[in-house]
Amino acid sequence: MLLRVFINLLGNAVKFTPAGGQIEVFGEAHNEGYLFAVRDSGQGIYPEEIDVIFDKFVQSSLHAQRGGSGTGLGLSICRGIIEAHEGRIWAESAGPNQGSTFYFMLPALQTEAMSNAAPPA
């Protein structure tokens, strides 16, 4: 399922970044979980749309203005998958032609048995 999140986020980065642009993917251990990000130098998102782009059937107005296609479900699917794993997903953009960064945070897996296990001898 997490592969679907990366496919959707990378697909969007490729779709919205012109030739010669940059796309970066990174991940790191962060506090009690893992932080991942997909950053692009593409068309960006209006700041006022950041809070709604993860809703079903919503697309950035910049995308619509440029004759873009799609169902507006990709980011909603990503949110559903990440939240099913008790994580969080969000985006940042400084606006048109400023690129976008999509982040998601997943908690570290820890079961009671793992936390009570004795260290190896």
Side-chain angles (χ1 to χ4, degrees):
M1 287 294 220
L2 292 176
L3 180 59
R4 172 53 47 201
V5 174
F6 281 107
I7 289 170
N8 284 359
L9 295 179
L10 285 168
N12 282 350
V14 169
K15 185 192 297 188
F16 300 124
T17 302
Q22 294 183 328
I23 298 171
E24 299 173 292
V25 179
F26 66 88
E28 64 185 21
H30 190 271
N31 296 329
E32 295 182 24
Y34 301 94
L35 175 67
F36 298 92
V38 176
R39 177 179 296 137
D40 67 61
S41 61
Q43 74 181 24
I45 303 165
Y46 287 116
E48 60 271 17
E49 294 180 342
I50 292 286
D51 292 335
V52 298
I53 59 171
F54 292 97
D55 293 345
K56 287 181 181 176
F57 307 113
V58 172
Q59 295 183 353
S60 161
S61 57
L62 286 171
H63 178 59
Q65 289 170 6
R66 295 179 178 156
S69 62
T71 61
L73 290 173
L75 293 176
S76 176
I77 290 168
C78 289
R79 180 176 63 185
I81 292 169
I82 296 301
E83 289 178 354
H85 286 86
E86 299 181 13
R88 181 170 84 91
I89 188 168
W90 69 99
E92 296 177 357
S93 178
N97 301 313
Q98 300 296 310
S100 303
T101 305
F102 287 82
Y103 298 94
F104 64 95
M105 174 78 77
L106 296 171
L109 296 177
Q110 182 174 352
T111 67
E112 188 173 316
M114 290 171 70
S115 62
N116 291 331

